[in-house]
Structure formats: C-alpha cells, structure tokens
C-alpha cells in the first residue's frame, strides 16, 4: 500500500511542478498601465492567491497582481470586474466571490499588466 502511494506521488510531482509555473517558457515585456479588452482576451484565470492571467488569442498572456494583495483571491473564486469602456487599467477595482457564497468580497485593485509572449519557433 505504501509503495503504491509512493509511486502515485512520484508520478504526480512532475504534473504539480508543471502547474506551479504557468509562465514557464514565456518572455516578459514592459508592464503596461492598461489592458485593451478588445484584443480578444479570454476570461481571467486566477492562477494563485496573487496572480491573475488574461490570455489573449495568439501568443500573448497578460499577468497582473493585486495592489496590496487580495485575501479572497484563489483559483476557484470568480472575479467580478466592472471595466469602464474597453480598457482595464491599473488601480481599477474588482471583487471576488467564492463558490457557495452569495456576498462578494471587499474591493481589490489591479496592479500593472505585464505581457508575457511565447517565443516564435
């Protein structure tokens, strides 16, 4: 039984390591104050308690970290974002809602948006 658990753990470690750094192999660009939402970005993905990723169609991902942290930011939470126009900017506010709850969190603020590009092959 213990040997079986050890084998399962050994096989799952590479999968957990690959999941721990979603930006592996990507090159960071100059941080931008705003993200143009008309660039066909997908819904935001919460990678961890400090990282939000907007995936743009193609090779570019936009990464932001909340200013001063956001205690309720976690992977299964839903972001509630109220953009003004077609841009999302640094210091714009957002809230989160945790599955099973009906009251959103206090407001958090976006930090700068850093583009991460996948290198050409």
């Amino acid at each position: 039984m213990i040997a079986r658990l050890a084998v399962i753990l050994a096989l799952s470690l590479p999968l957990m390591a690959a999941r721990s750094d979603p930006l592996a192999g990507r090159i960071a660009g100059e941080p931008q104050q705003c993200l143009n939402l008309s660039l066909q970005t997908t819904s935001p993905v919460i990678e961890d308690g400090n990282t939000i990723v907007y995936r743009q169609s193609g090779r570019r991902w936009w990464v932001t970290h909340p200013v001063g942290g956001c205690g309720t930011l976690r992977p299964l939470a839903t972001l509630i974002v109220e953009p003004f126009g077609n841009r999302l900017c640094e210091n714009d506010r957002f809230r989160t809602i945790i599955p099973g709850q009906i009251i959103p969190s206090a407001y958090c603020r976006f930090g700068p948006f850093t583009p991460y590009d996948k290198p050409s092959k």
Side-chain angles (χ1 to χ4, degrees), residues 21-89:
D21 188 9
L23 303 174
R26 294 186 174 271
I27 301 168
E30 189 69 29
Q32 303 293 313
Q33 186 177 6
C34 295
L35 168 64
N36 188 346
L37 294 176
S38 65
L39 294 175
Q40 298 177 338
T41 56
T42 63
S43 297
V45 175
I46 302 170
E47 291 294 334
D48 56 40
N50 194 41
T51 307
I52 303 168
V53 178
Y54 280 87
R55 294 183 173 127
Q56 183 179 334
S57 60
R59 301 179 171 277
R60 180 165 284 180
W61 289 4
W62 294 90
V63 177
T64 184
H65 306 285
V67 174
C70 184
T72 58
L73 191 65
R74 52 187 62 118
L76 293 179
T78 300
L79 284 183
I80 302 169
V81 180
E82 300 169 10
F84 297 99
N86 66 346
R87 294 173 11 137
L88 193 58
C89 294

